[in-house]
Amino acid sequence: MKKYIILSLVICLTVACGETNCNLPKPEKTTVVKVDWEDELQDQVKLLGHRNWIVVVDEAYPLQSSPGIMMLRSTAGHVETLISVKNIIDGQRHIKPNVYLDKEIDYIDEDLAPGITDYRETLNRVLGQKNVEKVIHEDIITMLDKASEQFKILVIKTDFTIPYTSVFFQLDCKYWNTEAEKQMRDKMEGN
């Protein structure tokens, strides 16, 4: 009986609104705002600090669902995006990068992924060897997933189509290092 009363009320309200032209708010359309990825990166990098990540990825990299992960789409090429991201990070006074690459990149042959040899050479020129560590791809993804539970991860996706070419910048404090931290902790234990 209650169901029929509620249904009757809904029908009456629907008919009444139709006859009197009720001005019920209409749902707004979703607005998609295109942002320039470099402008957004410039804004975000000022907010990021140690334990945050910035990642430059290839086209097949998945859109992750963790709320700590923000994805931007680059309109530049992969290498150009990588150089721009590195320059923006290097230009900050508060952060420095620890760089991770997929370990798999060293085991891909040119016949499996044309262009990989040139890309590896470009990576060596752009990144150098300092603070670059190669880790199995799934292990890096696990690191990102764990970090995204507490910290922001900014992923910049490119149109690059060579596998295992993502570059992971784990941000660290530029003006404080592990030696200084250890000295301070040792001093604290002494008191």
Side-chain angles (χ1 to χ4, degrees), residues 64-71 144-145 147-154:
Q64 293 172 278
S65 60
S66 174
I69 296 177
M70 174 184 184
M71 187 170 277
L144 281 180
D145 285 341
S148 72
E149 292 173 8
Q150 293 182 329
F151 305 104
K152 188 166 193 168
I153 311 297
L154 182 59

Side-chain angles (χ1 to χ4, degrees), residues 33-157:
V33 179
K34 289 187 178 183
V35 296
D36 180 271
W37 70 272
E38 284 183 288
D39 290 343
E40 185 65 24
L41 176 60
Q42 287 283 6
D43 289 343
Q44 291 294 318
V45 80
K46 295 171 189 160
L47 301 173
L48 300 176
H50 71 103
R51 299 184 184 160
N52 291 123
W53 292 68
I54 299 174
V55 187
V56 178
V57 299
D58 62 84
E59 196 160 32
Y61 193 87
L63 179 60
Q64 293 172 278
S65 60
S66 174
I69 296 177
M70 174 184 184
M71 187 170 277
L72 299 174
R73 177 72 178 188
S74 173
T75 54
H78 188 79
V79 173
E80 293 83 5
T81 300
L82 176 60
I83 291 169
S84 184
V85 168
K86 183 180 181 307
N87 288 340
I88 288 170
I89 293 171
D90 288 347
Q92 303 305 306
R93 64 187 190 119
H94 67 294
I95 53 173
K96 64 180 180 179
N98 296 313
V99 182
Y100 293 91
L101 300 175
D102 294 323
K103 189 171 191 170
E104 291 88 342
I105 196 170
D106 288 338
Y107 298 92
I108 300 173
D109 294 326
E110 192 70 27
D111 59 327
L112 294 174
I116 191 67
T117 303
D118 288 341
Y119 180 70
R120 281 192 294 252
E121 291 171 5
T122 299
L123 272 180
N124 286 335
R125 281 193 310 276
V126 171
L127 300 174
Q129 297 301 315
K130 188 178 178 185
N131 291 329
V132 174
E133 187 176 342
K134 293 181 180 163
V135 177
I136 296 291
H137 180 76
E138 283 305 313
D139 292 342
I140 297 176
I141 298 303
T142 300
M143 292 164 61
L144 281 180
D145 285 341
K146 185 167 175 56
S148 72
E149 292 173 8
Q150 293 182 329
F151 305 104
K152 188 166 193 168
I153 311 297
L154 182 59
V155 178
I156 303 168
K157 190 170 188 169

